[in-house]
Amino acid sequence: MAASLRLLVRRLARLSHRSITSAAANVSWRSGCCLCPSSSRCLSDAAEDRSTHFGFETVSEAEKAKRVYKVFENVAQKYDIMNDAMSLGVHRLWKDMLLHAMHPQPGARLLDVAGGTGDISFRFLDYVYYQQERQKRRATGSSQSLSWQDISDKYPDEDRPQESRAVVCDINKEMLKVGKQRAESMGIISGVSWVVGDAEELPFDDDQFDIYTIAFGIRNVTHINQALQEAFRVLKPGGRFMCLEFSKVTNPILASLYDAYSFQVIPVLGEVIAGDWKSYQYLVESIRKFPDQEEFKGMIEDAGFCCVQYFNFTGGVVALHSGFKL
Amino acid sequence: MAALLRGLRAGRLLRGLTSVVAAPTSTHAQGSSLRRGFHFAALKLQDESKSDKPSVSSSSSSSSTITNEHHQAQSAEQDNEAASQQHSDPNCSDQEQDEDFETEEQRQTRILTAAVEFVPLHGWSMEAIAAGAESLGLSSASTGMFYNGAGDMVLHFISQCNSKLTEILAEQHNQVQLGQAEPKKTADFLRDAVETRLRMYIPYIETWPQAMSILLLPHNIPDSLKHLSTMVDDIWYYAGDRSTDMNWYTKRAVLTGLYNTTELVMLQDSSLDFQDTWTFLDNRIQDVVNMATTAKQMQSTGEAVAQGLMGAAVTLKNLTGLNQRR
């Protein structure tokens, strides 16, 4: 009875923010979304009884979301610099490999959850733009031998709305702010939307996106299974779920080196560059708490995805999981 | 409690209807969305009590009832949102019902079969596979399933052609068995089999060089050789070859050479209905037949010559008296 009441309240909350969503074609709106899920969560008393891990600490589930929010609020400004410093620039390669595996076709819509500063979305837009350029070049190349009439007939075709759009969704407004600043400085005006939203309860309708990515974000989510189910919901049939995340290193020598580096060097870097030891301590601890490759693969399959595969990068430091909604 | 839920669902349906009327955010044809919305709403009210569509409740492995109800409610929403999508893709509804029975390979086969239709437009490439997937109502991101990309498509097409050929040969064989047709001579049989097989390439002959180059890529060579050898073996089997000595190898080598050279001739043949190619094929088969008879003749001639020489040698020995033993 209590469970169904809770469900009812959650549905009422969703009803109210779905009615706003359905009216607008562009889904970029501010803090209204954040209030509703948190209010429904406040009404649920069982969440506070359950505890979860925050790094190596144990906290209640309601507490975890707040603390994660604070961590990323603190690190937002220095997030990109710290990424480069901690991974010695290798994170760019990991993200490039994600895009390469994704191989998006022109016209695809991407949802980048926990996308924060927009790394994946910018790469996605670049990739798709390049693909479109190649196609156009091929089309004009093949039309070299056509008559003038045919060539002029082709021109209207190129205005076909083949726009690919990327939607960056993050629960943290600071991260989105940094991302927007980066977009402006890179000169990317159209093609990206910035949405505040919770991965466990996405503010989107069903069957909206071709590709769902979550890069280095899913280990911060309190209920990973819920996030996976939401991913399943918002993807179109045939859509692809891709998750880039730190995972278990298989090689024991590399593992000990990696552990030493994680616990000795990274928090120090955090203190020196970003002035925040604790956040980076949380970061390396949360990596240890995340399930390993096979277990996460099982979780993805439970959410309903099929053809689930994972690829290890850098010996297992990072794993790319991919599943399809079919 | 259940009544309350049903009321909520009805409310959501009506709200969904207004969203269909007010702001058609979906990318599908807007003209008939209103009609479809009403139609499906009527259907939904009837089907309330029926079970969920399997595509939504595929996460049935999760044990909590809350998530099940969550999905039940969402299925009503999803079905309404995806109403127009289902209507325009009759394949989709069949697919959802058979989803439990269809394996991943069957699904991949279906996508590739659809993709082959788009080859004249896009060539043997990922774009053709994306177009094929979209024609089945799946997102273009599902092309990520094919890690070999265009190679998968070409190999699939070749194995399809081989199966078609085997069916035709088996059919002919049956007819001969039943006495409805005359058994053909080996040379004619081979000629007809190769011609039938090569005619399957005619719709794609413009892009076939691209396909051949894909087949020659190092990682595709084992598979393409396998398909070629099974096809050659099948043709010889139905031609009646049951040899168990060196002939087995020589026959298959000969037919492989025949097939490959004829294929290459076909690529640059511009005569009507590829008459030049079939003439070339005839000539090559004639060469093979001639060579076989010539070989036999040479063998018998050789034997005769050897015997003659032996006779001459014995006569000489007799004449010179070497044969006498005294």
Side-chain angles (χ1 to χ4, degrees), chain B residues 86-97:
Chain B
Q86 282 181 3
H87 200 74
S88 59
D89 281 85
N91 289 343
C92 236
S93 50
D94 292 337
Q95 177 198 347
E96 281 171 357
Q97 281 168 17

Side-chain angles (χ1 to χ4, degrees), chain A residues 160-307:
Chain A
R160 252 178 303 141
Q162 261 209 343
E163 7 89 37
S164 320
R165 304 200 61 243
V167 179
V168 181
C169 177
D170 201 295
I171 199 173
N172 198 302
K173 286 175 229 153
E174 294 300 314
M175 297 287 281
L176 285 177
K177 240 187 255 174
V178 173
K180 266 207 211 149
Q181 284 165 5
R182 276 185 66 192
E184 277 162 33
S185 67
M186 284 169 73
I188 297 175
I189 328 158
S190 70
V192 192
S193 317
W194 306 87
V195 179
V196 177
D198 183 359
E200 295 177 17
E201 231 166 318
L202 290 169
F204 303 109
D205 279 331
D206 306 345
D207 296 347
Q208 288 288 312
F209 297 99
D210 292 294
I211 307 168
Y212 174 108
T213 55
I214 181 163
F216 305 117
I218 203 162
R219 70 179 187 283
N220 299 315
V221 171
T222 318
H223 301 107
I224 296 180
N225 288 314
Q226 263 185 304
L228 292 173
Q229 280 162 13
E230 279 292 285
F232 192 83
R233 180 179 68 82
V234 299
L235 275 175
K236 285 188 205 164
R240 192 170 190 187
F241 167 85
M242 304 189 79
C243 170
L244 196 63
E245 191 53 79
F246 291 107
S247 204
K248 295 286 179 288
V249 179
T250 41
N251 185 338
I253 306 171
L254 196 59
S256 52
L257 278 173
Y258 179 55
D259 281 344
Y261 181 76
S262 302
F263 287 102
Q264 311 300 332
V265 179
I266 288 184
V268 174
L269 277 177
E271 182 59 42
V272 166
I273 301 182
D276 193 347
W277 175 290
K278 285 231 172 88
S279 299
Y280 288 93
Q281 183 73 24
Y282 160 70
L283 185 132
V284 293
E285 287 175 1
S286 64
I287 295 175
R288 297 299 176 290
K289 281 299 194 176
F290 190 69
D292 69 358
Q293 284 90 328
E294 281 295 332
E295 209 184 312
F296 190 50
K297 175 178 166 185
M299 288 165 76
I300 300 177
E301 279 168 354
D302 284 342
F305 292 100
C306 77
C307 310

Side-chain angles (χ1 to χ4, degrees), chain A residues 11 15 206 210 233 237 309, chain B residues 5 15 73-74 78 139 147:
Chain A
R11 282 218 201 99
L15 263 175
D206 306 345
D210 292 294
R233 180 179 68 82
Q309 272 205 332
Chain B
L5 286 175
R15 192 188 40 77
Q74 280 186 345
Q78 187 183 32
S139 153
Y147 293 105

Side-chain angles (χ1 to χ4, degrees), chain A residues 206-207 237, chain B residues 28 40 76-88 96:
Chain A
D206 306 345
D207 296 347
Chain B
H28 307 292
F40 271 85
E77 163 111 14
Q78 187 183 32
D79 287 342
N80 208 38
E81 304 288 353
S84 43
Q85 190 182 26
Q86 282 181 3
H87 200 74
S88 59
E96 281 171 357

Side-chain angles (χ1 to χ4, degrees), chain A residues 91-105 108 110-112 118-131 164 166 211-216 240 242-244 311 313 320-322, chain B residues 126 141 143-144:
Chain A
H91 74 105
R92 295 163 191 257
L93 293 177
W94 292 330
K95 289 169 183 163
D96 288 341
M97 306 249 357
L98 168 64
L99 253 297
H100 187 73
M102 195 197 293
H103 195 64
Q105 299 294 322
L110 172 77
L111 174 65
D112 185 12
D119 271 337
I120 305 287
S121 312
F122 299 148
R123 282 175 168 77
F124 170 80
L125 289 172
D126 274 341
Y127 197 102
V128 169
Y129 178 70
Y130 177 67
Q131 294 273 77
S164 320
I211 307 168
Y212 174 108
T213 55
I214 181 163
F216 305 117
R240 192 170 190 187
M242 304 189 79
C243 170
L244 196 63
F311 310 97
F313 299 148
L320 167 63
H321 284 81
S322 149
Chain B
M126 288 298 267
T143 57

